[in-house]
Amino acid sequence: MAEQAVRDRVAAWLERAEGPGYGRVTRIDQWDVTPDGLHVAAVGTVLSGLDTRSHRVLCVITTEDGACQEYDVRADLVSCGPGVVAFASQGRVGWFDLGGNALTEGPVLPGAVEQLRVSADGRRVLAVLAAEQSTRYSLAERVSAEPSRREPLVFTSEPERRRQCYVVDRHSGSVRDITPAGLNVWEMCWAGPDTALAVCSAQPGESGWYDPQLTRLDIPSATATCLYVPQAGRQLASPVWAGGRSAVIEATSSDRGVVAGDVVLLDPEGNAVPLDTHGVDVSSLHFPAAGHLGYAGLRGLVSVIGRIDPERATVTEVRSTDETFHGWTPQIRTDTAGRFHGFLESYRTWPRLVTVTGSKTRTVFDPAHEGTAFVRDRAGRMEEVSWTSSDGQRIEGLLVVPDGPPPYPLVVNVHGGPVSCWRNCWGVANSDRYPLAPLLASEGYAVLHPNPRGSHGRGEAFTRSVVGDMLGAPVQDLLSGVDHLVDRGVADPARIAVTGTSYGGVVSLFLPTVDRRFAAAIAVSPVSDWGSQHYTSNIPRFDELFLRDTPHSPNSAYVHQSPLFTMERNQTPTLVTAGLLDKCTPPQQAVEAHQALLRAGVETELVLYPAQGHGVRDFPETTDYLSRILLWLHRHLAPRQG
């Protein structure tokens, strides 16, 4: 098929899918609800065309009638308090008075804001600021931003800077640094008028997140007291304070912001209280200043919301659904009336703001448009699937099949992490990236979204089984899934491809070296060599924990689990893509993979996007990215004609 014809078809598809929503909010990136539940503030994304960057605005939604007001402020984060919304915009804190319907510009903070939390009285906000970027992780960004400069780039042994936290007063505009000495602050919440609860680490830099502690921070003195240290190799997220008791999520996690696991509840003396969440990996905790803790999480492929009574340490499940709540993991908020708020979605349903009261779910705001109907009508159908892996372990996944009879060419889409999961999301996309599955289904491909060992929703033991074994049992889980679909007559054994981003990119490089059935591979933001990854990534602690080894041994897992050292066995045509601004899996990893494939005599293509980071997330690059994927698949496993 002619290259230009494919590019034109992808562009036409995207125009039909996105065009009806041009100029207005169609996606919500981050949001919060006021304690009374009457307003939801959100960061809305607006796209004006396929050749332009999307931009962000502040949205305020009235939950009673679903009215959405958009304000032309580049909002990056929001947090709600009684009668007020705090928002971060390009390093500045601003306020929106819900009563007076007025925006107020606040002070500029000395760094990029990563989190905001409004106090119970609405007068102050806690702000967590990102550490200053280390020069060694932003070479491409600096060079591309300053192409005319020829000064040398200097690297020193200066330690990485810590994240800081500030208190900003709404009325006076005062800004006070309350960062505890020797600690790096990741997340925090109010724990009374002069106290905060925070997830901290002793180490600065992005790697410090993997070794956290829960602390109580005295705001007047900026001193911290350690309350809880998780089990070795586990992380903490979403701290909440519920009337004298603290709670936090503890889990084995590979990515900051993608956490689901156990809830640790601490009594007023700081003792951990056992809490049974009935098999749910909890991913969101919220306390609206009165009542019970609200939570959301996953039990297998099912999303669950419920309440936790912090005094009795009991859990009450409110609702379970095959749909899911939007976010990298399911996210909800609760209000003082006990209602749940969230953006509910499914493979065929665009994320819509809902309020859950008891057994009733009411749609408040639905940003769907004619383009979503266009996609839905061409997206095939999705079904839950499960199979038995080589050692008897049951594995789950989601299968998208096109219209028409099987067998189909099959694309195995491996999620990142490795600790993450595929859910019943719009287009089965767990992030802002354009959902690939509907486009592929419209072209006649089936897409398997497997949740191998290491995925959320199956408990801590299932998650931790990937630690030290990222390319062992999980790979067998994936191959068994392919066998299952071939045996069912769903997949054509001669037309199978694999793709994935990040950890999924690692697997996409590795699978063809152990199974010759793969006719094509597409590795996005991969790691090819864990040794060089360790010394160039901004998260070297990640590979130490998940390889459970050290890079200093010539016979370590850094060699045995690096696709680079098995590439000579690869015969599968492989497309490799990366963003030049990626600090997590630096683009040199993609370059190394491409060079190794060339030397192995494999057909390969390397595509580097100068303005993208970890994966492709925005236009106009998305059009080129999807076109290249479709071209690669059509070239190597095109659907049969007739």
Side-chain angles (χ1 to χ4, degrees):
M1 183 176 296
E3 177 176 337
Q4 191 57 49
V6 172
R7 290 184 175 276
D8 290 344
R9 195 157 72 244
V10 170
W13 166 280
L14 290 172
E15 191 67 38
R16 291 285 303 277
E18 300 287 349
Y22 287 164
R24 66 183 181 90
V25 171
T26 55
R27 290 173 173 83
I28 298 297
D29 298 321
Q30 196 266 344
W31 59 280
D32 197 11
V33 65
T34 54
D36 58 15
L38 299 182
H39 294 89
V40 168
V43 177
T45 299
V46 178
L47 182 65
S48 299
L50 301 184
D51 296 327
T52 61
R53 288 267 182 258
S54 61
H55 68 278
R56 293 178 168 186
V57 298
L58 174 65
C59 300
V60 179
I61 303 168
T62 305
T63 59
E64 182 179 355
D65 58 9
C68 177
Q69 297 294 321
E70 299 176 16
Y71 299 90
D72 192 15
V73 176
R74 182 191 162 176
D76 300 312
L77 294 168
V78 296
S79 179
C80 292
V84 68
V85 175
F87 62 91
S89 176
Q90 298 176 297
R92 183 187 295 274
V93 173
W95 305 87
F96 181 77
D97 186 335
L98 292 166
N101 202 39
L103 287 165
T104 302
E105 191 175 77
V108 174
L109 298 180
V113 183
E114 284 193 341
Q115 187 192 47
L116 291 175
R117 289 291 183 267
V118 178
S119 61
D121 61 7
R123 296 178 58 87
R124 296 173 295 167
V125 65
L126 289 171
V128 176
L129 274 59
E132 183 177 305
Q133 291 182 344
S134 174
T135 303
R136 61 180 170 142
Y137 302 133
S138 55
L139 285 177
E141 188 172 11
R142 288 188 61 183
V143 171
S144 63
E146 302 174 304
S148 64
R149 298 183 63 180
R150 294 295 180 265
E151 293 87 347
L153 299 176
V154 179
F155 304 91
T156 72
S157 58
E158 180 183 357
E160 294 183 79
R161 297 184 183 276
R162 300 179 183 274
R163 278 170 171 76
Q164 297 175 294
C165 52
Y166 289 79
V167 172
V168 181
D169 190 280
R170 174 186 173 190
H171 299 296
S172 69
S174 65
V175 177
R176 187 159 67 90
D177 186 351
I178 59 166
T179 310
L183 290 180
N184 193 73
V185 180
W186 298 99
E187 295 181 75
M188 59 195 315
C189 68
W190 291 94
D194 292 309
T195 311
L197 193 65
V199 174
C200 300
S201 65
Q203 301 81 19
E206 198 68 32
S207 268
W209 181 80
Y210 293 94
D211 298 289
Q213 58 181 265
L214 183 68
T215 65
R216 180 191 296 114
L217 174 60
D218 180 74
I219 292 175
S221 64
T223 58
T225 302
C226 180
L227 299 179
Y228 182 77
V229 177
Q231 298 179 39
R234 301 181 75 180
Q235 287 71 49
L236 300 176
S238 301
V240 293
W241 184 78
R245 296 173 185 266
S246 306
V248 69
I249 298 173
E250 178 180 349
T252 298
S253 310
S254 53
D255 297 85
R256 186 162 67 94
V258 190
V259 179
D262 301 327
V263 176
V264 175
L265 183 64
L266 303 178
D267 65 20
E269 287 72 43
N271 302 306
V273 179
L275 192 68
D276 182 6
T277 57
H278 310 299
V280 173
D281 284 354
V282 174
S283 55
S284 178
L285 285 174
H286 192 249
F287 185 70
H292 294 171
L293 283 166
Y295 73 88
L298 290 165
R299 183 191 294 120
L301 295 170
V302 174
S303 292
V304 177
I305 61 174
R307 295 187 179 91
I308 298 170
D309 185 328
E311 292 189 4
R312 295 183 175 87
T314 56
V315 176
T316 302
E317 192 169 309
V318 171
R319 177 180 170 176
S320 62
T321 174
D322 292 335
E323 293 187 292
T324 193
F325 287 91
H326 187 67
W328 279 106
T329 55
Q331 297 294 306
I332 54 90
R333 302 289 185 269
T334 55
D335 61 33
T336 53
R339 294 169 295 201
F340 290 81
H341 305 264
F343 284 81
L344 195 62
E345 64 179 313
S346 71
Y347 179 66
R348 301 180 63 82
T349 308
W350 191 259
R352 64 207 185 276
L353 176 62
V354 301
T355 295
V356 180
T357 307
S359 61
K360 297 181 180 179
T361 299
R362 179 175 65 92
T363 296
V364 173
F365 171 68
D366 188 351
H369 48 74
E370 292 178 7
T372 59
F374 167 81
V375 173
R376 181 172 55 246
D377 292 344
R378 292 156 180 79
R381 67 185 187 279
M382 191 201 75
E383 63 181 80
E384 296 181 6
V385 291
S386 65
W387 60 91
T388 302
S389 191
S390 57
D391 62 354
Q393 174 69 60
R394 184 177 65 87
I395 305 299
E396 299 175 333
L398 297 169
L399 174 67
V400 173
V401 295
D403 297 330
Y408 312 108
L410 176 69
V411 178
V412 181
N413 193 353
V414 184
H415 65 63
V419 183
S420 183
C421 71
W422 294 115
R423 297 180 281 129
N424 185 13
C425 299
W426 169 257
V428 201
N430 287 358
S431 72
D432 297 331
R433 299 185 184 100
Y434 186 82
L436 177 64
L439 175 62
L440 293 183
S442 73
E443 294 285 330
Y445 296 92
V447 187
L448 175 63
H449 302 84
N451 285 333
R453 267 165 268 214
S455 300
H456 286 147
R458 302 286 297 278
E460 177 67 12
F462 189 84
T463 300
R464 284 202 66 79
S465 61
V466 76
V467 177
D469 186 33
M470 287 196 286
L471 295 178
V475 164
Q476 295 304 312
D477 297 343
L478 300 173
L479 294 176
S480 298
V482 173
D483 293 338
H484 174 70
L485 296 183
V486 169
D487 292 344
R488 279 181 50 187
V490 172
D492 183 339
R495 295 183 295 162
I496 299 173
V498 61
T499 188
T501 301
S502 195
Y503 170 72
V506 179
V507 174
S508 298
L509 293 176
F510 183 76
L511 269 185
T513 72
V514 296
D515 194 308
R516 295 288 176 86
R517 286 181 295 181
F518 292 93
I522 302 166
V524 183
S525 301
V527 173
S528 56
D529 177 7
W530 287 111
S532 59
Q533 162 78 8
H534 179 82
Y535 290 108
T536 56
S537 169
N538 65 344
I539 50 170
R541 184 65 174 138
F542 161 79
D543 49 77
E544 291 177 335
L545 288 172
F546 278 81
L547 291 174
R548 200 179 278 172
D549 211 335
T550 170
H552 306 300
S553 168
N555 195 37
S556 72
Y558 279 77
V559 174
H560 298 310
Q561 295 199 44
S562 289
L564 188 71
F565 300 105
T566 61
M567 211 70 83
E568 73 279 358
R569 302 200 299 265
N570 198 329
Q571 297 181 1
T572 298
T574 303
L575 170 66
V576 187
T577 78
L580 286 183
L581 305 184
D582 193 345
K583 302 175 182 62
C584 176
T585 56
Q588 80 170 61
Q589 293 297 314
V591 174
E592 290 182 19
H594 176 65
Q595 291 293 328
L597 288 163
L598 284 176
R599 282 156 179 73
V602 177
E603 181 184 352
T604 179
E605 185 174 298
L606 173 66
V607 182
L608 301 176
Y609 293 99
Q612 294 295 301
H614 197 57
V616 176
R617 296 172 181 264
D618 201 3
F619 290 94
E621 289 87 351
T622 292
T623 305
D624 180 84
Y625 170 70
L626 292 176
S627 298
R628 291 182 185 277
I629 289 177
L630 206 56
L631 280 164
W632 200 257
L633 293 175
H634 279 353
R635 185 182 305 168
H636 299 291
L637 59 157
R640 292 187 179 124
Q641 303 298 316

